[in-house]
Amino acid sequence: MAKPLFLLVLSLTILSFLTHPLSSAISNDIDWWCRKTPHPKTCKYYYKSHNSKSSAPKEKSEFKKTVFQIALDQSFKALNHNKWLETKCRNNKEKAAWNDCMELYQETITLLNQTLNPSTNCTNYDIQTWLSTALTNLETCRSGFVELNVSDYVLPLMSNNVSALISNTLAINKNDSMTPETERYKDGFPSWVKPGDRKLLQSSSIAANLVVAQDGSGNYKTITEALNAATKRSGSGRFVIHVKSGVYKENLIIGSKLTNVMLIGDGLRWTIVTGSKSVGGGSTTFNSATVAVTAQGFIARGITFRNTAGPQNHQAVALRSGADLSVFYRCGFEGYQDTLYVHSQRQFYKECYIYGTVDFIFGNAAVVFQNCMIYARKPIIGQQNTLTAQGRTDPNQNTGISIHDSRVMAAPDLIPVLSLVKTYLGRPWKEYSRTVFLQSYLDSLVDPAGWLEWNGNFALSTLYYGEYKNTGPSSSTSQRVKWGGYHVITSASVASQFTVENFIGGQSWLPATGVPFVAGL
C-alpha cells in the first residue's frame, strides 16, 4: 500500500507544480512575457518605464493591454517631437516628406486608439488589420525621405522605437484568434449599415445624394466641391455622389471623415479623374496620387483614375487607397510606374482595368483582385515591367496581394516591342513581400522565370510568392525561380487562404456593398 500512496502523492505534487506554481512564477516575470515578442529588450525597457511599480502582468490580457497602451503613448510622443522638426526642414523635398509623416503618425494614433477603445466592438482580426496599417504608416513615412534623396538630416532626428513597439503588438495579437468573425453581421450586412442603406445598396439603380456635372446640370461642377459638401452631412450612412461623364482635372483627398461615401461614374471610359503629380516633379510617392482615399467603407464604380506624369517622371500614382473595407467596381487605373497604390487596410477590386509598367500594383494592403484585366505597357528604354511590388515588412502583418481569376495581358503599345521588354509577375519591395496569382490567365508577355529579384538575394527566402492553377501561354511553372519563398501551390486548401472569404473576410462586409463577388476559389 505504501508504494501506490507514494506514487499518488508524487503525481499530485507534479500536477500542482505544472498547473500553478511554475506558470505563476513564469507569468510574474516580465522577461518571460517580453521574450514572446520580436523586440524583447524594447518591450522590457518601456514596460518598466510605463509601470513604476515594475510589477509583471498576471495574465496575457493585462500584458496585451499595457503593450498596446505603451505603443500609443510613444506614438503621441513621437508625433509631438516630429512637429518640432518642421523648422529643421532645409528644402521643399524634406518638407514634403515631413508633411506625409505628420499625416501618417496621426493616422497611426487613431488606429491604436481604435484597438484600445472598448466601444469599438472589434475582433482580433480587425485589430491585426489596424496594427498592420499602423506599422505600414511608419514605413511609408521613412520611405518618403529615401525616395526624394533627403534621408540624411531630418529623418535621423525622427528616430524612435515606435515601429518596434507596434511590431510587438502584432506578435502578441496574432497568437489570439485570427479568423474573420461574422457573428456581428446580420444577413451579411455589418452593424453600421442601417436597414434603409441595405435596401439602397441592393437596388440596381442607386439614387444619388449629389450630382457632379461639368455642364452645370448637377449640384456641383467639380468633385472637390461635392466632397466638401459631403463632409457637412449629418450621420455616417451611405452617401452617393454621381459624377457624370467628363475629364475632371482634380487631385482628390477623400479623408477619414467621409465614411461610407460612394462615387458613381458613367463608366470607366466616360468619367475620368486625372492628375500629374510625381516623384520626378518633387512629390513623394504617397502624395503623388491623383486620388487618395482613407475613408472607411468607400466605394467607387464606373470611374477611371489616371496619372499623366509619364514614365520619365518615375513614381506617379493614379489612386492610393488606405480605406478599410473599400471596394472598386468596374474602375480603371492608368499610369506607368506605381499606378495603383494599395497602401493598407482591407480592399476589394472587381472587374477593373489596371495599366502600368514598373511595380504598378504595390503597397501593403490585404487586397483581392477578382476578374480584373492587368495590362503591362511599354516602359522607357532599359526598364523591365513588374506587375506587383508588395510591401509587407513584418511576418505578423495580415497583408498581401491576391490576384484571382484575372487576366495578365500586353497593352497595345507593348505588343510591337514584346520581344524587347521583359515582364514579371512581381518583385519583393519589402522583406516579407506576399503575392499570389490564383486561377488567372497569363499571356505570353510574362517571362518564364515569372518573378524578379529586388536587389540580389534580398527577401528571396522570407517572401511568399505563389501560383495556383493559372492558365495561358506563360502559366507553366517549370522554369520559374528557385527561391526559398516561391511556391507552386497544388493544394486547394492552401490556395483558399488567399480568397475573398479567408484573406479579407469578404463574406462579412462585401454583401453590404451590392458588388458581386466569389467568396472561394
Side-chain angles (χ1 to χ4, degrees):
M1 193 69 185
K3 190 171 183 179
L5 181 61
F6 169 78
L7 291 174
L8 176 62
V9 172
L10 180 62
S11 299
L12 290 172
T13 303
I14 292 172
L15 181 63
S16 175
F17 179 72
L18 289 174
T19 58
H20 185 258
L22 178 61
S23 60
S24 189
I26 292 174
S27 297
N28 287 324
D29 181 4
I30 187 59
D31 287 328
W32 183 83
W33 287 103
C34 284
R35 279 196 295 270
K36 292 180 173 292
T37 70
H39 305 280
K41 289 183 179 179
T42 304
C43 168
K44 185 178 178 181
Y45 173 81
Y46 283 99
Y47 198 99
K48 289 189 172 182
S49 299
H50 179 83
N51 190 338
S52 57
K53 297 179 182 178
S54 294
S55 58
K58 292 182 173 57
E59 53 188 40
K60 183 180 178 181
S61 60
E62 181 186 346
F63 177 63
K64 180 177 174 179
K65 184 177 180 181
T66 303
V67 170
F68 278 44
Q69 187 63 54
I70 290 169
L72 176 60
D73 293 346
Q74 294 304 312
S75 296
F76 265 117
K77 289 181 180 178
L79 176 64
N80 289 330
H81 170 75
N82 293 344
K83 285 179 180 177
W84 168 77
L85 295 175
E86 180 180 10
T87 57
K88 300 289 184 180
C89 294
R90 300 168 297 178
N91 50 54
N92 289 336
K93 288 185 175 180
E94 279 187 335
K95 186 67 177 291
W98 176 87
N99 275 324
D100 285 355
C101 289
M102 291 301 96
E103 178 182 342
L104 290 158
Y105 267 88
Q106 188 59 63
E107 186 188 343
T108 292
I109 288 167
T110 299
L111 291 165
L112 291 172
N113 264 318
Q114 278 182 198
T115 67
L116 285 164
N117 187 346
S119 66
T120 305
N121 189 28
C122 59
T123 67
N124 283 318
Y125 173 70
D126 295 326
I127 290 172
Q128 202 72 355
T129 299
W130 300 335
L131 294 175
S132 296
T133 300
L135 190 58
T136 300
N137 287 343
L138 303 189
E139 177 62 24
T140 304
C141 163
R142 187 195 68 83
S143 294
F145 287 95
V146 174
E147 64 199 16
L148 291 176
N149 295 313
V150 289
S151 61
D152 60 326
Y153 184 59
V154 173
L155 182 59
L157 296 176
M158 285 186 171
S159 178
N160 57 59
N161 286 307
V162 178
S163 290
L165 292 169
I166 294 174
S167 179
N168 284 349
T169 65
L170 272 165
I172 295 163
N173 192 67
K174 189 180 181 183
N175 291 330
D176 295 330
S177 173
M178 280 296 107
T179 305
E181 297 180 27
T182 57
E183 287 80 1
R184 296 178 298 135
Y185 301 84
K186 182 178 179 182
D187 301 325
F189 292 93
S191 56
W192 49 262
V193 179
K194 298 177 182 177
D197 293 328
R198 297 175 193 177
K199 186 176 180 181
L200 167 71
L201 292 166
Q202 288 173 306
S203 170
S204 58
S205 59
I206 301 175
N209 298 95
L210 293 175
V211 177
V212 178
Q214 291 178 328
D215 62 5
S217 61
N219 303 97
Y220 299 100
K221 290 185 177 182
T222 68
I223 306 170
T224 300
E225 290 174 302
L227 291 170
N228 288 339
T231 60
K232 299 169 186 174
R233 79 191 198 272
S234 59
S236 58
R238 180 63 61 194
F239 191 89
V240 181
I241 300 174
H242 176 200
V243 185
K244 288 189 174 182
S245 61
V247 178
Y248 296 82
K249 295 180 180 179
E250 302 183 55
N251 283 92
L252 306 177
I253 298 175
I254 305 171
S256 56
K257 293 181 180 179
L258 287 166
T259 303
N260 297 327
V261 162
M262 183 177 190
L263 292 185
I264 299 181
D266 283 340
L268 58 83
R269 292 186 179 183
W270 311 112
T271 300
I272 299 165
V273 187
T274 185
S276 58
K277 293 169 72 176
S278 67
V279 169
S283 295
T284 59
T285 301
F286 183 78
N287 198 41
S288 70
T290 299
V291 176
V293 54
T294 56
Q296 180 174 310
F298 177 79
I299 302 174
R301 190 178 87 184
I303 298 175
T304 284
F305 304 92
R306 179 182 290 166
N307 191 309
T308 60
Q312 71 280 0
N313 279 306
H314 307 293
Q315 300 97 317
V317 176
L319 179 125
R320 165 172 56 83
S321 178
D324 202 13
L325 311 177
S326 57
V327 177
F328 297 85
Y329 182 38
R330 294 182 176 173
C331 287
F333 306 90
E334 298 178 3
Y336 288 88
Q337 183 171 347
D338 291 6
T339 303
L340 178 53
Y341 196 172
V342 289
H343 181 264
S344 53
Q345 306 277 26
R346 290 162 284 194
Q347 306 179 27
F348 180 59
Y349 294 74
K350 178 76 171 183
E351 297 177 21
C352 291
Y353 288 69
I354 308 157
Y355 293 82
T357 54
V358 178
D359 306 337
F360 63 96
I361 301 172
F362 76 110
N364 197 25
V367 56
V368 175
F369 294 86
Q370 199 170 83
N371 310 124
C372 291
M373 300 289 288
I374 301 170
Y375 285 101
R377 305 176 82 169
K378 179 185 176 182
I380 57 178
I381 295 174
Q383 282 187 338
Q384 302 171 102
N385 286 333
T386 43
L387 275 55
T388 66
Q390 206 281 326
R392 188 163 161 255
T393 61
D394 190 291
N396 293 315
Q397 288 178 309
N398 61 355
T399 54
I401 294 171
S402 176
I403 296 173
H404 178 215
D405 195 14
S406 295
R407 295 177 70 86
V408 175
M409 312 282 286
D413 64 343
L414 179 62
I415 293 173
V417 293
L418 208 53
S419 62
L420 304 176
V421 178
K422 289 193 172 186
T423 297
Y424 298 90
L425 298 175
R427 59 178 183 155
W429 184 26
K430 302 296 178 182
E431 190 172 1
Y432 297 95
S433 183
R434 181 160 63 173
T435 303
V436 296
F437 283 77
L438 312 175
Q439 298 168 318
S440 292
Y441 178 86
L442 309 180
D443 210 350
S444 58
L445 72 160
V446 179
D447 189 86
W451 307 82
L452 182 67
E453 300 90 346
W454 183 272
N455 184 16
N457 292 324
F458 171 73
L460 302 188
S461 60
T462 51
L463 58 79
Y464 185 98
Y465 286 166
E467 296 182 58
Y468 176 74
K469 289 189 175 181
N470 294 316
T471 60
S474 295
S475 62
S476 171
T477 57
S478 62
Q479 297 182 59
R480 290 294 194 256
V481 293
K482 306 301 181 186
W483 307 338
Y486 172 72
H487 305 269
V488 177
I489 301 172
T490 56
S491 165
S493 62
V494 172
S496 292
Q497 296 173 20
F498 301 99
T499 59
V500 164
E501 180 174 13
N502 294 322
F503 198 53
I504 59 173
Q507 286 278 44
S508 65
W509 58 277
L510 282 174
T513 67
V515 173
F517 67 95
V518 175
L521 290 170

